[in-house]
Amino acid sequence: MNAQADQSNLESKRPAALPKPQKTNPETERKSLSHHDYTVGWVCALPLELGAATAMLDEEHQMLVLGPGDQSTYTLGRIGHHNIVLVCLPSYGTAKAATVASHMLRSFPNIQTGLMVGIGGGIPTNEVDIRLGDIVVGDSVLQYDLGKTVRGGKFERTGGLGKSPPDNLKMAVQNLRGRHNVQPTRVPDILSDLLERHPSTRERYARPMATLDRLFDAAYDHVEEPNNENTTSCGRCDMSQVVQRPERPDQHCQIHYGKIASGNQVIKHGKTRDRLARELGAVCFEMEAAGLVDANFPCLVVRGISDYADSHKNNLWQGYAAAVAAACAKELLTILPVGQNPCRVTSQGHLPDDVSQKLSLDKKIRPERLETDPAVSEFPAQSQLSSVVETLEHLGNIIQVSTKVSINFTVSHFGANMRRI
């Protein structure tokens, strides 16, 4: 009897069992925003590039339901004050890039800023000492394989001199270049932070040894390994054909600014690379940006140099090149101002619902209402209205309102009353 009592007392003194930890779903713990909250679209062409971009996010957000016809898979998150939409293309090429960009703009109608970030082929010249792992920020994009073949078999390009990024991105780039004149780029620090927060990525995104950065003479072709056993080595190539270049004082990447040549073919020939460089004045080759520009996706192209666009091209530098390009894009976003959502036109040529509501087009818009009606006084500035008008005229659409007042009439009266608003 006493033994049973002692056993009972002993059990009563045992500490209560700790509650089992509840399994949590990381997706449900993430912040959930609306489609209209995202203002930056970030496009990648490779999973390796998407991984580097995702690692740059300060936080990830919950996924959102997409509209009909959009089959893309997005990663949502935030960098600084900017809400970001990340997407990876299903395959290479300008056409795929254009399709994905169009879907993104429909699903996330307030995207103002576009980024095409990933790897590219560098074009080293006497004027531009570009190395593997360096970064190229495009001041224009030219589709070099768009044109026609004329008499004598001559190819004439019809892409013009190239298309520049929108003004807000050009000004942000100028700001960044100015900062780098007095202080170094933050790319090495951002990359170090990535490797510290995600140690498992070190092997994938860390910088290869500088001795593996070899630029061969343009006329010297790669010697294949037996049975293509090692595609990351030039073990059978003649090292006397390596171009001698001065050593850099440190191993940090450098940022170059110039024209980016975009097309639907991979350039893996040194002489062709140099010929196109002379004709185009480009510093980098890639395969997607021209499609984004044609899809009216206002973007800046940032490329990490993973090869020299010659027959010695391999995968050794791709991870590091993808990481430094993503780090450069993040540095740019940290100084890019967060603006109000612009007055955009939908893909069907209509004003977005929020703009239509503010205009209250179902009511009469008289000059005196510009002073008294808050819905009208909140409408964007005249320059944005003019942009809407130009776009609508280009699409051949006429906005019908009950008062039969055209947008041009609104612009003229809005401008006349700017001082009173």
Side-chain angles (χ1 to χ4, degrees):
M1 186 71 178
N2 291 336
Q4 291 179 351
D6 291 342
Q7 180 67 22
S8 177
N9 291 334
L10 182 61
E11 290 180 354
S12 64
K13 293 179 181 180
R14 287 177 180 171
L18 294 174
K20 293 183 179 180
Q22 298 293 321
K23 292 183 178 180
T24 59
N25 184 354
E27 183 65 23
T28 59
E29 292 182 345
R30 294 172 180 168
K31 184 184 296 184
S32 179
L33 304 180
S34 75
H35 298 80
H36 296 273
D37 291 320
Y38 293 91
T39 57
V40 177
W42 182 319
V43 181
C44 305
L46 298 172
L48 187 71
E49 300 166 351
L50 179 63
T54 304
M56 294 297 160
L57 295 175
D58 296 328
E59 66 178 16
E60 283 195 53
H61 297 162
Q62 287 190 34
M63 297 176 62
L64 296 174
V65 176
L66 303 179
D70 190 351
Q71 299 179 348
S72 300
T73 301
Y74 299 105
T75 299
L76 308 178
R78 176 184 59 81
I79 292 178
H81 299 291
H82 298 279
N83 292 320
I84 315 287
V85 182
L86 301 177
V87 69
C88 185
L89 303 181
S91 59
Y92 296 111
T94 58
K96 290 292 185 183
T99 300
V100 170
S102 297
H103 287 318
M104 178 186 282
L105 291 176
R106 283 199 298 270
S107 294
F108 300 91
N110 286 333
I111 286 180
Q112 309 171 39
T113 300
L115 297 171
M116 179 75 220
V117 185
I119 62 175
I123 306 175
T125 63
N126 293 332
E127 293 76 24
V128 183
D129 180 25
I130 199 165
R131 308 283 179 99
L132 298 185
D134 281 358
I135 301 166
V136 170
V137 177
D139 57 23
S140 64
V141 174
L142 172 64
Q143 185 168 357
Y144 65 90
D145 58 357
L146 179 65
K148 56 187 177 181
T149 302
V150 296
R151 181 178 298 179
K154 182 181 179 181
F155 180 73
E156 288 187 357
R157 293 185 182 86
T158 57
L161 299 177
K163 297 181 180 180
S164 300
D167 286 345
N168 68 320
L169 286 172
K170 286 195 289 186
M171 288 188 288
V173 169
Q174 293 291 74
N175 187 313
L176 191 65
R177 296 182 72 171
R179 289 169 181 248
H180 291 168
N181 283 327
V182 294
Q183 61 190 31
T185 173
R186 293 183 53 238
V187 166
D189 296 332
I190 295 173
L191 184 56
S192 296
D193 179 65
L194 179 153
L195 298 177
E196 183 177 340
R197 288 186 293 110
H198 305 278
S200 62
T201 66
R202 184 171 297 276
E203 182 177 350
R204 188 175 301 112
Y205 293 119
R207 190 183 194 280
M209 294 185 296
T211 55
L212 298 176
D213 178 4
R214 305 187 188 102
L215 172 63
F216 286 88
D217 185 272
Y220 180 72
D221 289 331
H222 177 67
V223 179
E224 296 288 347
E225 297 285 343
N227 302 320
N228 293 324
E229 291 178 356
N230 189 351
T231 59
T232 63
S233 171
C234 286
R236 301 187 66 194
C237 294
D238 183 358
M239 293 301 155
S240 68
Q241 297 294 325
V242 174
V243 177
Q244 299 301 312
R245 297 176 292 177
E247 291 187 8
R248 287 183 173 176
D250 57 54
Q251 299 300 315
H252 295 320
C253 62
Q254 293 187 7
I255 303 177
H256 309 273
Y257 302 87
K259 182 181 292 183
I260 290 181
S262 183
N264 286 300
Q265 58 180 324
V266 177
I267 303 296
K268 292 184 63 175
H269 188 247
K271 284 192 170 182
T272 300
R273 174 201 66 203
D274 290 352
R275 175 179 59 81
L276 289 173
R278 290 191 298 270
E279 295 175 3
L280 306 174
V283 294
C284 176
F285 288 110
E286 61 92 72
M287 298 180 62
E288 290 81 27
L292 298 182
V293 173
D294 289 341
N296 294 320
F297 188 74
C299 70
L300 178 74
V301 184
V302 182
R303 293 294 186 181
I305 301 304
S306 61
D307 59 79
Y308 290 121
D310 59 9
S311 60
H312 306 275
K313 171 185 172 73
N314 58 59
N315 301 334
L316 184 62
W317 286 80
Q318 286 188 355
Y320 178 73
V324 294
C328 181
K330 180 170 185 174
E331 182 180 17
L332 182 74
L333 286 173
T334 59
I335 65 170
L336 183 70
V338 180
Q340 294 181 349
N341 291 335
C343 181
R344 296 187 62 248
V345 176
T346 67
S347 57
Q348 291 78 25
H350 303 300
L351 288 172
D353 293 339
D354 56 340
V355 176
S356 296
Q357 291 171 3
K358 285 188 176 182
L359 270 176
S360 301
L361 290 177
D362 58 327
K363 303 176 183 178
K364 291 183 179 180
I365 300 180
R366 293 187 294 269
E368 58 268 27
R369 283 196 61 223
L370 293 172
E371 295 184 67
T372 59
D373 194 329
V376 179
S377 65
E378 291 177 5
F379 195 69
Q382 182 177 1
S383 61
Q384 293 177 337
L385 274 170
S386 300
S387 176
V388 174
V389 173
E390 292 172 1
T391 305
L392 289 171
E393 290 175 347
H394 176 70
L395 295 173
N397 291 302
I398 300 175
I399 295 186
Q400 300 291 338
V401 296
S402 59
T403 58
K404 298 182 180 180
V405 179
S406 68
I407 290 294
N408 282 322
F409 179 85
T410 305
V411 172
S412 63
H413 283 78
F414 190 85
N417 291 272
M418 279 290 288
R419 186 172 297 177
R420 288 181 285 173
I421 295 178

